[in-house]
Amino acid sequence: MQDQPLRVTVWNEFIHERTQAKVAAIYPEGIHETLAKGLGARLGSKAVFQTATLEEPQHGLPTDRLDQTDVLIWWGHTAHDDVSDEVVERIQQRVLAGMGLLVLHSGHGSKIFRRLLGTGCMLRWREAAECERLWIVDPGHPIVDGLEGEYLELPQTEMYGEFFDIPRPDELVFISWFAGGEVFRSGCTFRRGRGKLFYFRPGHETYPIYHDQQVQQVLANAVLWAAPVGVPYQGQARNAVESLEPLGPD
Ligand code: ZN
């Protein structure tokens, strides 16, 4: 596995970029293409990127595509309910089998995130072009590898504030402070089955967040962190009783 490039699929509902001129000006080819190109350039031969969008058959995520995805990146906002339950179920099973999943920004409300975490995943928010400072609270974590300083700062963001209705994260990597006074757990990891999840808060579509070099560094690190490790997945669980050998001559 180590010698093969990681297979990364960037999924985007791809609606705001086609319906709002302000968003199209920032992401003319869509958030998914910006991420695929930006992270692809950072990771070089370590990873190959593909993209998938809501309007494609099976949202671009048929079984064979998911089977060939090591890490899935998810951006959704206005069309969470349009994602089919069948595809959500398929993604969940792949995560439990070891596929990594990065859920970005408004993806906190997606079906797949809420299903995997089992809570409402809601929060408070305000769109007021505020400064956000993301404090690194786990400086030894691989997801912050290569960042300079104790925090990263985004001059204009949408605010997300606590309470964020998620289970207690396995690891907390970033805590955000906003100029308006709120705080937020903006970089959280979780494990579900064999799969690793990373939730990363920044990414509102009307600000150029995914062009930010430090944001790209975090997400490239997260791809490497979330990659499957260990013995390759062997498919469905086997019946342990049937596979037992007799203990002795009796
Ligand atoms: Zn947003």
Side-chain angles (χ1 to χ4, degrees):
M1 192 86 193
Q2 288 86 341
D3 297 327
Q4 300 293 326
L6 291 171
R7 300 161 299 180
V8 184
T9 299
V10 185
W11 190 91
N12 179 14
E13 64 178 24
F14 196 28
I15 294 175
H16 296 309
E17 300 96 320
R18 296 188 296 178
T19 57
Q20 297 177 34
K22 184 178 182 183
V23 182
I26 301 168
Y27 299 111
E29 296 177 281
I31 283 171
H32 52 303
E33 291 294 343
T34 296
L35 286 172
K37 286 179 181 152
L39 305 189
R42 283 180 179 273
L43 291 171
S45 61
K46 292 180 183 170
V48 291
F49 283 76
Q50 292 186 294
T51 63
T53 60
L54 179 69
E55 69 175 7
E56 294 174 49
Q58 302 187 59
H59 313 321
L61 299 173
T63 301
D64 58 347
R65 167 65 77 86
L66 278 176
D67 283 348
Q68 294 172 35
T69 296
D70 296 310
V71 179
L72 176 65
I73 300 176
W74 191 271
W75 198 98
H77 176 228
T78 196
H80 293 321
D81 289 344
D82 295 337
V83 177
S84 86
D85 292 335
E86 182 186 347
V87 170
V88 172
E89 170 73 23
R90 191 180 297 154
I91 298 167
Q92 180 186 22
Q93 293 308 316
R94 276 290 294 139
V95 169
L96 296 179
M99 181 180 74
L101 178 65
L102 313 186
V103 175
L104 308 179
H105 187 62
S106 41
H108 73 83
S110 64
K111 285 183 181 177
I112 184 60
F113 191 61
R114 297 170 75 182
R115 179 180 295 201
L116 283 163
L117 295 196
T119 56
C121 303
M122 290 297 109
L123 43 82
R124 66 175 64 242
W125 59 276
R126 175 176 58 241
E127 192 175 348
E130 280 166 76
C131 176
E132 174 182 12
R133 188 173 285 179
L134 293 100
W135 288 94
I136 298 167
V137 295
D138 190 350
H141 201 285
I143 285 178
V144 298
D145 195 33
L147 294 184
E148 294 177 3
E150 296 176 281
Y151 57 83
L152 54 110
E153 195 166 278
L154 299 167
Q156 292 191 322
T157 59
E158 177 187 26
M159 184 280 294
Y160 279 5
E162 297 282 348
F163 174 62
F164 184 19
D165 180 21
I166 51 172
R168 188 169 301 167
D170 293 333
E171 299 165 307
L172 195 49
V173 184
F174 293 102
I175 294 177
S176 284
W177 164 91
F178 293 87
E182 291 87 354
V183 296
F184 191 76
R185 289 168 289 172
S186 52
C188 307
T189 76
F190 304 90
R191 298 210 181 206
R192 291 294 182 272
R194 292 182 58 162
K196 294 184 206 154
L197 279 73
F198 179 57
Y199 174 78
F200 190 56
R201 193 213 80 84
H204 187 63
E205 68 276 2
T206 60
Y207 307 115
I209 306 289
Y210 296 123
H211 294 287
D212 183 277
Q213 296 302 299
Q214 290 196 298
V215 167
Q216 288 191 8
Q217 180 70 37
V218 169
L219 293 176
N221 290 341
V223 164
L224 299 179
W225 170 83
V229 293
V231 178
Y233 180 61
Q234 298 294 330
Q236 297 298 313
R238 288 166 294 167
N239 184 324
V241 174
E242 287 179 0
S243 68
L244 283 177
E245 297 293 330
L247 283 175
D250 297 337

